[in-house]
Amino acid sequence: MPDFLSVEEAAGWLRTTKGAVTAGLQRGEIPGRKVGGEWRISTAAVLALVHGVVPEGGTS
């Protein structure tokens, strides 16, 4: 399992759109950071969201 996911990969895991993931990143609801101009999201943070847990750095 990778340590970090792209926006597209995270959207697939969360069963939502890339736009929704990007918006969540920009609002700080999904913790992530830009690397080389592209968002990277921790796999652990996405798994926490899948299980209904607000990851550290996110808002409720």
Side-chain angles (χ1 to χ4, degrees):
M1 183 177 325
D3 291 333
F4 294 93
L5 302 171
S6 67
V7 170
E8 185 174 292
E9 292 167 327
W13 285 33
L14 296 169
R15 296 186 180 179
T16 190
T17 64
K18 293 187 300 186
V21 172
T22 301
L25 287 161
Q26 291 171 338
R27 288 190 302 262
E29 296 170 352
I30 301 173
R33 59 182 47 210
K34 282 196 170 183
V35 177
E38 296 183 10
W39 285 104
R40 292 290 179 241
I41 304 107
S42 147
T43 301
V46 173
L47 288 173
L49 289 168
V50 167
H51 294 291
V53 178
V54 176
E56 187 174 320
T59 58
S60 51

